Amino acid sequence: MKQKFFTGLSVACLVLTFLIFGYDSTKWYGKFIDFLFDISIFTPLIIGALGILSAFLGIKGTIRMILILVNSFFLIVFLCAILLGILGFHRP
């Protein structure tokens, strides 16, 4: 039962990071994503790390491997985007 909960939590984190990745302020989830970014610019990284951690604790097998890989991919994409935004725009 506990493993199913963690797998579900990992899937929820994956869906949330996918919605953040495809952010569009005119969609139905735009205000919620704005709220998440108002909390912190690092919110996608925290959600991605939570998704990876909960995938490690979830159901073993192919599902675990896929969830870890996809959550890791989105974590790396957001890390690169945030580092580019923070460090890359200081100098022209």
Side-chain angles (χ1 to χ4, degrees):
M1 179 70 179
K2 190 169 51 170
Q3 291 177 339
K4 289 182 183 180
F5 172 75
F6 284 121
T7 301
L9 182 63
S10 178
V11 169
C13 290
L14 178 64
V15 169
L16 190 57
T17 55
F18 185 74
L19 288 176
I20 292 172
F21 182 72
Y23 171 68
D24 186 8
S25 63
T26 61
K27 299 289 183 186
W28 58 271
Y29 56 88
K31 296 218 186 255
F32 179 67
I33 303 299
D34 286 336
F35 170 71
L36 290 177
F37 278 128
D38 286 342
I39 292 173
S40 175
I41 190 79
F42 300 108
T43 304
L45 296 177
I46 295 168
I47 294 170
L50 180 65
I52 292 171
L53 183 65
S54 62
F56 272 120
L57 299 172
I59 297 173
K60 295 179 182 177
T62 308
I63 296 172
R64 175 190 276 185
M65 182 179 62
I66 291 171
L67 285 174
I68 290 172
L69 287 175
V70 177
N71 277 317
S72 299
F73 171 73
F74 278 118
L75 184 71
I76 290 169
V77 167
F78 278 117
L79 181 66
C80 292
I82 288 174
L83 286 176
L84 180 69
I86 291 174
L87 302 174
F89 294 121
H90 283 284
R91 294 182 224 147

